[in-house]
Amino acid sequence: MSDAALCLDPAPLVLNVGHSAGGRRWVWRDAALAEDGLRHSLAIAQRAGIPELLGRILAARGVALGRAEAFLDPRLRDWLPDPSCLKDMEAAAARLSRAVRERECIGVFGDYDVDGACGTALLTDLLRELGCAVETHIPDRQKEGYGPNAAALDGLMARGAQLLVCVDCGTAAAPILDPFAGRVDLIVLDHHKPDGGVLPRGIVVNPNRLDCTSQLGTLCATAVAFLTGVALLRDLRAQGWFTEHPEPNLLRRLDLVALATICDVMPLQGLNRALVAQGLRVLGRGERLGLATLASVAMVKESASAMACGFAFGPRINAGGRIAQADLGLKLLLADDAFEARTLAEKLDEVNRQRQTVEADILTSALQQAQAQVDAGHAVLFLRGDAWHPGVVGIVAGRVRERFNRPALVGALQDGVIKGSARSVPGLDLGAAVIAARQAGLLLTGGGHAMAAGFSLAAGQADSFHHFLDERLSAARERPAQDDLLLDGVLSLRGATSEVAAQIGRLAPFGMGNEEPLLAISRVRCVKVERIGRDGNTLRAILQGEDGGRLRGLVFRAADKPFADVLEDSSAPLLHVAGHLRSERWQDRETLTLFIADIALI
């Protein structure tokens, strides 16, 4: 594959791009271009029988010589651990097993995000198939806030719950849960870091609790719920339950695990990669009525993909918890009636459009605040407004983080209290910083994980909290305005083929920890460009190489991309273009597209 073969530049920069139109340096993802590194990538390619380009990409991701085949074809049986490696899992499985055998009513309290909805749906679906009555509650973000609350738990008990299970929350809720410990049995299935190591009374299954040695801390809560299901079925099997009762197919619920893992931005390596790969296959069968209907309403071409989960399903399921009825997403995931599923899917689609409008209104003001804080020398961006909708602050925090490459916290001020969400950058543990601030008495509530957190504080503590974060995460000041663009290869335009795109597709699913490969295509001109989409914020371009070959390019959210003007330059300057090369099939027609991430003028 001469044209498609990887071109290795001995210099630190790729194509000598030290400052692109997007303000970034282009560097190799694998900075170690030593001879040993090249030999390793060639050895991977030869042993796995794959093209050199794939061997190079796998080597850059740290895949060992003997693990290439397992990476390209991740099988759950190769990665699934014994659930008992999780602290308290055997106790949780035994208690749930007893509830099934004694036909108890179980109350499930889930978080209002995708992970909470998916974990609640998985557990509810499984327990109902096993014959239990299950009552659920998803809290209202504005009225109830994050985590369990006494009124909701009392409500579940009033509806008959004899066992309470918290999903994707509860680890840091000892003050709320402990008073219930003498009245009802409690199980927590969570993955958030504990606050000071103080756990609620009851059974807590959380790979991130300090005394858990499972080394499964990168699992989302839905994956923890799935492993709990594995342990539960094993216990019931040992009890002889399935000699007289049908055994559920737990693997059919892997679509929920895949959706939650992707939307909660868990690293797609090892067990997570296997869970998502198998879960996407389940999703592709279209067996879950709610998701199949949502795919139709959202006009998703390929539902069995990480992109569909992250950019179509996730935002819509989240939208209910952000600005509307919190349990809409859960109801959709559990729907078994076509009319109900259609009604819920259309409602979530509508609510998501409303969410986008609310988000856009806040983002402009947030970006102005952020620029002022950067200019003032802050390491961390802490933005707030008294008219901001608390349901979208997490999304706005993510957009601010992307723009400035700094940890960003965005809060809504109401009645003297700031409630908000935070998003971090790789290498800076924001969740730990927020927990430390709470322990220091600066916050009313606070917790999360390395890349995301939630918090609330009295307005009078805002400056002290900001100063605390600036000190704790001072390394953020040293970050460039934009991180280096990490490239995996360089192609000529004629070398950018459907065959190469198909080879790269074998590395999917893509996400955190397994980023989609970025390729640079050298020496092209944009000979045609047009704005498309409902808001005209997508650019569709035709790229032409010096050899006359052509390739379609797309730029989403063009208004946020500083390089978009270069594509629209009527003089058609000579460019290097970097992006994701994908071959997509729709109605038996294949289209090769470069999804453009950056541009460099030559």
Side-chain angles (χ1 to χ4, degrees):
M1 43 186 295
S2 58
D3 270 333
L6 184 66
C7 304
L8 295 181
D9 188 338
L13 300 176
V14 177
L15 295 173
N16 204 33
V17 177
H19 189 81
S20 71
R24 311 177 81 170
R25 296 191 331 140
W26 291 11
V27 300
W28 293 110
R29 186 180 301 277
D30 181 7
L33 295 177
E35 187 176 345
D36 288 346
L38 297 178
R39 281 202 295 263
H40 179 56
S41 64
L42 286 170
I44 288 177
Q46 292 169 359
R47 180 163 175 173
I50 57 177
E52 178 190 342
L53 176 61
L54 244 62
R56 166 71 175 159
I57 293 172
L58 289 173
R61 281 155 175 73
V63 176
L65 180 60
R67 298 297 294 172
E69 293 92 338
F71 187 93
L72 293 170
D73 183 23
R75 298 178 299 180
L76 197 54
R77 65 174 175 267
D78 293 335
W79 292 99
L80 194 67
D82 182 341
S84 296
C85 71
L86 286 156
K87 183 77 173 179
D88 275 359
M89 177 62 85
E90 290 186 6
R95 181 62 187 88
L96 286 167
S97 174
R98 192 182 99 198
V100 170
R101 288 181 280 111
E102 297 181 4
R103 301 294 196 204
E104 290 182 308
C105 177
I106 301 173
V108 183
F109 183 105
D111 189 22
Y112 42 61
D113 68 357
V114 175
D115 192 16
C118 287
T120 301
L122 187 152
L123 203 59
T124 299
D125 195 29
L126 176 63
L127 290 170
R128 284 176 177 169
E129 186 174 347
L130 288 167
C132 287
V134 182
E135 298 290 336
T136 63
H137 183 84
I138 303 293
D140 183 287
R141 182 188 296 257
Q142 295 187 62
K143 296 178 182 177
E144 299 174 77
Y146 169 79
N149 63 84
L153 299 178
D154 279 329
L156 288 171
M157 292 178 65
R159 285 185 272 161
Q162 299 159 276
L163 167 66
L164 296 178
V165 184
C166 294
V167 180
D168 197 28
C169 60
T171 296
I176 298 295
L177 295 178
D178 285 355
F180 285 85
R183 301 165 52 197
V184 65
D185 288 342
L186 292 164
I187 297 175
V188 171
L189 305 179
D190 198 4
H191 70 133
H192 292 93
K193 292 184 176 181
D195 184 358
V198 178
L199 298 175
R201 293 166 58 194
I203 300 169
V204 180
V205 181
N206 182 338
N208 285 307
R209 57 182 285 183
L210 300 181
D211 57 349
C212 184
T213 60
S214 67
Q215 297 185 322
L216 297 175
T218 60
L219 294 182
C220 69
T222 304
V224 174
F226 175 80
L227 291 179
T228 304
V230 173
L232 166 60
L233 296 186
R234 183 174 63 184
D235 188 282
L236 288 170
R237 205 176 297 120
Q239 299 286 342
W241 180 257
F242 296 124
T243 59
E244 298 180 2
H245 302 87
E247 182 169 347
N249 181 356
L250 188 59
L251 297 181
R252 291 179 56 244
R253 280 89 178 178
L254 278 174
D255 57 339
L256 297 171
V257 181
L259 177 59
T261 300
I262 292 165
C263 292
D264 228 38
V265 201
M266 297 292 104
L268 298 188
Q269 299 172 345
L271 175 58
N272 276 342
R273 178 171 168 80
L275 288 169
V276 170
Q278 299 304 320
L280 290 178
R281 292 177 186 173
V282 174
L283 182 59
R285 298 203 292 262
E287 296 175 355
R288 190 168 302 278
L289 180 61
L291 289 179
T293 306
L294 188 60
S296 174
V297 169
M299 294 184 289
V300 173
K301 295 180 182 179
E302 186 181 347
S303 60
S305 69
M307 185 166 294
C309 291
F311 293 96
F313 300 143
R316 286 167 173 81
I317 292 171
N318 258 335
R322 292 190 184 281
I323 64 172
Q325 185 179 335
D327 62 355
L328 286 175
L330 173 62
K331 288 180 176 179
L332 178 77
L333 295 174
L334 294 174
D336 57 8
D337 174 81
F339 178 79
E340 179 192 18
R342 188 79 186 183
T343 301
L344 289 166
E346 289 177 347
K347 177 63 175 176
L348 284 170
D349 191 56
E350 175 190 346
V351 171
N352 189 53
R353 287 194 296 272
Q354 295 172 4
R355 186 270 304 169
Q356 290 171 327
T357 300
V358 173
E359 174 194 336
D361 290 342
I362 295 173
L363 183 60
T364 300
S365 178
L367 290 173
Q368 291 173 349
Q369 282 192 36
Q371 185 62 63
Q373 291 187 12
V374 169
D375 294 343
H378 286 283
V380 175
L381 308 177
F382 179 25
L383 322 168
R384 56 266 193 196
D386 57 7
W388 293 0
H389 195 297
V392 301
V393 292
I395 301 175
V396 173
R399 297 285 295 276
V400 172
R401 182 268 317 274
E402 289 175 12
R403 177 72 65 88
F404 293 96
N405 196 29
R406 299 277 184 92
L409 299 88
V410 180
L413 174 62
Q414 186 175 10
D415 299 327
V417 174
I418 300 171
K419 294 183 179 180
S421 293
R423 299 292 184 268
S424 193
V425 294
L428 294 177
D429 191 336
L430 186 58
V434 167
I435 289 172
R438 181 180 176 182
Q439 294 170 342
L442 297 172
L443 299 179
L444 301 172
T445 61
H449 47 78
M451 295 298 290
F455 60 91
S456 68
L457 69 157
Q461 291 277 43
D463 289 342
S464 297
F465 178 47
H466 198 176
H467 178 74
F468 180 91
L469 293 176
D470 276 340
E471 292 290 315
R472 178 100 179 188
L473 303 175
S474 60
R477 289 191 181 91
E478 307 306 317
R479 300 184 71 89
Q482 291 292 325
D483 276 336
D484 292 341
L485 195 68
L486 305 181
L487 289 164
D488 296 273
V490 177
L491 307 176
S492 69
L493 191 139
R494 192 171 291 279
T497 64
S498 296
E499 177 191 9
V500 173
Q503 292 165 3
I504 291 171
R506 295 182 62 190
L507 303 172
F510 301 120
M512 181 182 174
N514 182 40
E515 289 77 12
E516 184 175 4
L518 268 169
L519 302 178
I521 299 181
S522 61
R523 304 184 68 83
V524 301
R525 298 182 192 275
C526 180
V527 296
K528 182 180 179 182
V529 65
E530 59 182 332
R531 288 187 172 266
I532 60 175
R534 186 171 58 235
D535 54 3
N537 201 23
T538 297
L539 291 184
R540 180 165 58 196
I542 301 298
L543 306 175
Q544 182 171 295
E546 293 180 307
D547 54 10
R550 291 193 169 199
L551 176 67
R552 187 177 81 149
L554 284 178
V555 180
F556 293 121
R557 282 169 40 194
D560 296 338
K561 305 297 193 302
F563 59 78
D565 290 345
V566 177
L567 282 178
E568 295 184 295
D569 185 344
S570 60
S571 68
L574 195 61
L575 310 168
H576 298 314
V577 182
H580 305 292
L581 187 67
R582 301 176 192 150
S583 182
E584 299 175 308
R585 182 170 293 277
W586 176 244
Q587 295 180 342
D588 296 325
R589 182 179 178 183
E590 188 176 60
T591 302
L592 184 66
T593 304
L594 183 73
F595 291 81
I596 299 173
D598 200 4
I599 289 170
L601 287 159
I602 298 177

